[in-house]
Amino acid sequence: MTAGVGERVTVTQRWWHLLLVLGVTIAGAIPRAARIAAQDGFSWDESYYVPAARGYLHGDFTNNFEHPPLGKWAIAAGIRLVGDRPLGWRLAALVAGILTIPLTWLLARRLFGSVWWATFAAFLVATDGLLIVQSRTALLDSLLPPLVVGAALCIVLHVDRRDERPFSPWLIGAGVLLGAAMAVKWEAGGALVGVLVGFVVIGRHDRRKVGAALVAFLAVPVVVYMASYAGHFQHGLSFTDFFRLQNNMLRYHQNFRLDHPSDSSPLTWLWLQRPVAYGSLNSSDRISIHMALGNPALWWSFVASLPLLLVVWWRERDRTVEVVLFAWLVLHLVWLVVLRPGFIYYLTPLVPFMAIGVTWSVRWVALRWRVGRPLPIVVAAAVLVAFLLYLPVWTYHDMSLRRFHSLMLFDGWEP
């Protein structure tokens, strides 16, 4: 049931493909949605974003000025839809987390030209612990993955067109999504700037392409970003106040310092050296915990695949490898030059690209070496076993302290 991009697909195959993507999406939705309100108090930085979202519903925009408003509007929409309770707070994050699975499938399908490998990548996303935890928590980072993955998909679709005109709806769509990501949290700025620079460099000998890049990845994101402040403007914010607010936000992040036990160097994030416990409730011999910890089998497989990805990129310039490494650069390595405290969950939007990178590496080995043919099954089995073992840690499920400590493989994992 594999068809390359551009090949004719029968109606039967289309239904089969739809069943595959729905199946993996539903499988991933279950751990994201089940008992999402089990932690009925605020989890981690929900204590900042939920009160701010409540204020937005009543025209009060004074809380949490440190971040743009779009993510808080999304949280407010959930509160308006289902009420001011844990499900309402986390509804936007849940929807974003579930949407990330089929979007990853679509992007991988386009890159690999294979339904099976796309499903493999989506399976890795569906079973990742960090994405599961973020889908259950009303954090701004939780809303970024579908925007970033959706933008990557739009860019690939734009590049794959047969039409040579510099503009396309896909290009503008990518700009809209990246602008929305910036309007959620500034950490998407690395991706936006990276894409803009990349398109300008690639099209530097063609003024039309440079102009299209400036419109799509500068003008359009600015419009989207400004539009996210519409509520503020309606309640008396002037343009002078707007620019002063942006300057205050910048100064806040420049001067932000925090002595927190979960703060860690970006160099340690892929190793899962220091996960973040969003909240816990324990007694003498029982514990319920909500821990931002990636699926070790996926994350360490990505670390192991990086040398192969780098070598192949250097020798062959494979497009899928370029997408993965570019995402790694603008969503992770850029944090090495950001002089402020950091946490592992800043990698939330990178995880789908990690899944695609691992899928590409497994596929490359399996297709070239006879000894590597069982590798997809081995990796999938390892990811599934880790998912089953750590699911209680990701979903605030009651367990014995003995079992919990047996899962904490390193001292840095202990809360």
Side-chain angles (χ1 to χ4, degrees):
M1 291 296 175
T2 298
V5 174
E7 293 183 9
R8 185 170 298 176
V9 180
T10 67
V11 174
T12 301
Q13 287 177 320
R14 289 184 184 277
W15 278 106
W16 179 242
H17 299 172
L18 180 61
L19 287 174
L20 280 175
V21 69
L22 282 178
V24 73
T25 300
I26 292 171
I30 292 171
R32 286 162 170 77
R35 301 179 65 253
I36 193 172
Q39 189 172 357
D40 57 2
F42 289 147
S43 179
W44 194 246
D45 283 352
E46 287 183 341
S47 58
Y48 297 104
Y49 305 136
V50 173
R54 289 169 175 163
Y56 279 19
L57 293 173
H58 299 92
D60 178 7
F61 302 98
T62 57
N63 290 331
N64 191 240
F65 76 92
E66 310 92 78
H67 298 291
L70 187 57
K72 287 164 281 187
W73 275 118
I75 296 171
I79 294 174
R80 175 62 60 87
L81 284 172
V82 301
D84 191 354
R85 52 197 176 99
L87 177 59
W89 310 340
R90 298 162 188 161
L91 183 62
L94 176 61
V95 172
I98 294 173
L99 282 176
T100 301
I101 301 170
L103 284 172
T104 302
W105 189 94
L106 291 170
L107 178 58
R109 170 74 176 87
R110 195 74 188 183
L111 292 171
F112 294 119
S114 165
V115 170
W116 293 113
W117 290 112
T119 305
F120 188 92
F123 163 76
L124 298 181
V125 166
T127 53
D128 179 68
L130 181 62
L131 291 181
I132 289 171
V133 170
Q134 295 298 93
S135 301
R136 301 169 60 87
T137 314
L139 303 183
L140 302 184
D141 308 78
S142 306
L143 307 175
L144 294 178
L147 298 174
V148 175
V149 175
L153 177 60
C154 286
I155 290 171
V156 170
L157 290 170
H158 168 77
V159 172
D160 283 349
R161 291 173 312 132
R162 296 179 181 178
D163 186 350
E164 293 297 325
R165 287 179 296 181
F167 278 104
S168 77
W170 297 118
L171 189 70
I172 300 302
V176 169
L177 290 172
L178 288 175
M182 273 290 291
V184 169
K185 200 172 184 183
W186 278 4
E187 70 182 70
L192 179 58
V193 172
V195 169
L196 173 61
V197 171
F199 267 83
V200 169
V201 170
I202 291 171
R204 62 187 180 278
H205 300 302
D206 187 331
R207 290 183 178 180
R208 296 186 310 157
K209 290 184 178 180
V210 171
L214 291 174
V215 170
F217 301 116
L218 184 59
V220 169
V222 167
V223 171
V224 173
Y225 188 85
M226 293 287 291
S228 72
Y229 280 90
H232 293 63
F233 287 118
Q234 289 176 355
H235 286 80
L237 184 75
S238 67
F239 281 100
T240 300
D241 294 333
F242 169 80
F243 289 111
R244 184 181 296 114
L245 176 60
Q246 305 308 303
N247 184 60
N248 290 340
M249 291 167 61
L250 178 61
R251 289 181 178 274
Y252 170 84
H253 291 291
Q254 286 177 332
N255 298 322
F256 180 73
R257 297 294 181 270
L258 179 68
D259 184 16
H260 195 282
S262 296
D263 173 27
S264 56
S265 166
L267 289 173
T268 69
W269 291 347
L270 288 180
W271 296 103
L272 296 173
Q273 183 171 318
R274 190 63 182 129
V276 181
Y278 284 170
S280 62
L281 177 67
N282 35 320
S283 61
S284 59
D285 61 346
R286 310 289 296 179
I287 186 171
S288 299
I289 193 165
H290 199 208
M291 180 174 285
L293 171 69
N295 187 312
L298 169 61
W299 287 56
W300 294 339
S301 292
F302 180 68
V303 173
S305 71
L306 279 173
L308 174 62
L309 293 169
L310 290 167
V311 169
V312 170
W313 172 79
W314 182 257
R315 291 180 176 179
E316 303 176 14
R317 298 296 194 271
D318 181 275
R319 183 173 75 164
T320 303
V321 173
E322 287 182 337
V323 169
V324 172
L325 292 180
F326 181 80
W328 181 42
L329 171 65
V330 299
L331 297 174
H332 178 205
L333 296 184
V334 69
W335 284 104
L336 296 175
V337 298
V338 177
L339 302 178
R340 56 155 288 164
F343 303 90
I344 190 174
Y345 59 83
Y346 290 175
L347 290 188
T348 302
L350 177 64
V351 177
F353 299 94
M354 292 167 55
I356 292 174
V358 170
T359 302
W360 184 93
S361 301
V362 168
R363 177 176 179 263
W364 190 91
V365 172
L367 292 179
R368 282 165 176 76
W369 297 340
R370 179 176 299 179
V371 70
R373 289 178 183 175
L375 187 59
I377 297 175
V378 171
V379 172
V383 168
L384 182 60
V385 168
F387 166 78
L388 295 173
L389 286 173
Y390 285 92
L391 187 59
V393 174
W394 300 329
T395 56
Y396 204 72
H397 192 83
D398 178 69
M399 73 185 96
S400 69
L401 278 173
R402 181 178 180 180
R403 180 185 177 189
F404 171 71
H405 290 305
S406 71
L407 295 172
M408 298 297 100
L409 301 180
F410 306 102
D411 291 341
W413 289 19
E414 294 282 352

